[in-house]
């Protein structure tokens, strides 16, 4: 029995050290050299302080800011430690109620806007952390943001154009606007 137990325990300890210590250190080291920004969380830094991440949305609720996609995370929105979708199907009454409440909030923030609300402003992404909105969702909010900041709507549309991203590799994904970067550009105008 000892002849079988000793090699098994030794192999378990050795493989635990290799796969639990050496391999993660190697992968982290390679990532930090090859992709330094991504390996550090793709942080957006202003005045030496991290204010957000390229990869995780933030909860903007003031009328002077563009609002991102709703977050499905709990207990607070855009909680990276709790990334998940709501898992509510299209026929679920809770999803219909949540979408209606989000539409009502958008209409209350901009009562003069009769346009249809883009779907990405009222439904969460699969991760619940999406930092992007569609160009249509950004355009839907232009009048509210311009009015709140006393800016020309055309100047706000130019900012949206400057902060829009195209298809990845020219063929993948959808055109999108990074909400945090757009809101930071708006704040920079006011300074």
């Amino acid at each position: 029995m000892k002849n079988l137990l000793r090699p098994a325990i030794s192999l378990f300890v050795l493989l635990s050290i290799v796969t639990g210590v050496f391999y993660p250190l190697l992968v982290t080291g390679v990532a930090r050299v090859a992709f330094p920004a991504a390996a550090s969380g793709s942080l957006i830094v202003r005045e030496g302080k991290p204010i957000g991440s390229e990869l995780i949305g933030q909860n903007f609720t003031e009328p002077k800011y563009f609002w991102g996609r709703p977050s499905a995370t709990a207990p607070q929105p855009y909680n990276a430690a709790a990334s998940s979708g709501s898992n509510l199907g299209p026929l679920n009454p809770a999803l219909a109620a949540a979408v209606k409440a989000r539409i009502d909030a958008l209409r209350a923030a901009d009562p003069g806007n009769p346009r249809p609300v883009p779907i990405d402003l009222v439904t969460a992404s699969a991760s619940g952390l999406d930092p992007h909105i569609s160009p249509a969702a950004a355009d839907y909010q232009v009048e509210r943001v311009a009015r709140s900041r006393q800016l020309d709507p055309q100047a706000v549309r130019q900012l949206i154009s400057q902060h829009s991203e195209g298809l990845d590799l020219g063929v993948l994904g959808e055109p999108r606007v990074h909400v945090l970067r757009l809101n930071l550009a708006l704040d920079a105008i006011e300074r």
Side-chain angles (χ1 to χ4, degrees):
M1 180 77 170
K2 275 187 179 180
N3 290 342
L4 294 176
L5 197 55
R6 180 179 226 164
I9 290 173
S10 299
L11 191 56
F12 171 75
V13 170
L14 176 68
L15 290 176
S16 294
I17 291 170
V18 168
T19 60
V21 177
F22 294 131
Y23 180 74
L25 287 174
L26 174 70
V27 169
T28 302
V30 169
R32 287 196 183 268
V33 170
F35 312 103
S40 297
S42 300
L43 297 178
I44 298 172
V45 179
R46 291 285 186 269
E47 299 172 7
K49 294 193 301 194
I51 57 168
S53 171
E54 289 276 343
L55 308 173
I56 300 172
Q58 292 192 6
N59 193 28
F60 292 100
T61 57
E62 293 180 55
K64 69 179 189 172
Y65 288 113
F66 282 90
W67 299 351
R69 289 191 79 164
S71 175
T73 64
Q76 73 267 4
Y78 303 103
N79 178 3
S83 172
S84 68
S86 68
N87 292 329
L88 299 177
L91 301 178
N92 190 309
L95 177 63
V99 167
K100 182 182 180 328
R102 293 169 184 156
I103 290 172
D104 292 345
L106 285 163
R107 295 273 187 229
D110 193 6
N113 190 344
R115 296 169 36 193
V117 176
I119 191 75
D120 55 325
L121 287 178
V122 294
T123 57
S125 66
S127 69
L129 301 173
D130 198 349
H132 298 96
I133 55 176
S134 67
D139 190 60
Y140 176 84
Q141 301 178 70
V142 165
E143 298 297 327
R144 181 196 77 229
V145 171
R147 190 173 47 255
S148 296
R149 291 179 178 263
Q150 299 175 344
L151 295 171
D152 176 32
Q154 201 51 38
V156 176
R157 282 190 176 87
Q158 272 187 316
L159 276 177
I160 291 172
S161 178
Q162 292 169 2
H163 291 86
S164 292
E165 302 171 17
L167 305 177
D168 293 328
L169 303 174
V171 294
L172 300 174
E174 295 288 327
R176 59 205 176 274
V177 179
H178 196 279
V179 177
L180 176 57
R181 289 221 178 264
L182 179 58
N183 286 334
L184 289 172
L186 282 167
D187 285 344
I189 287 175
E190 287 190 340
R191 287 185 181 163

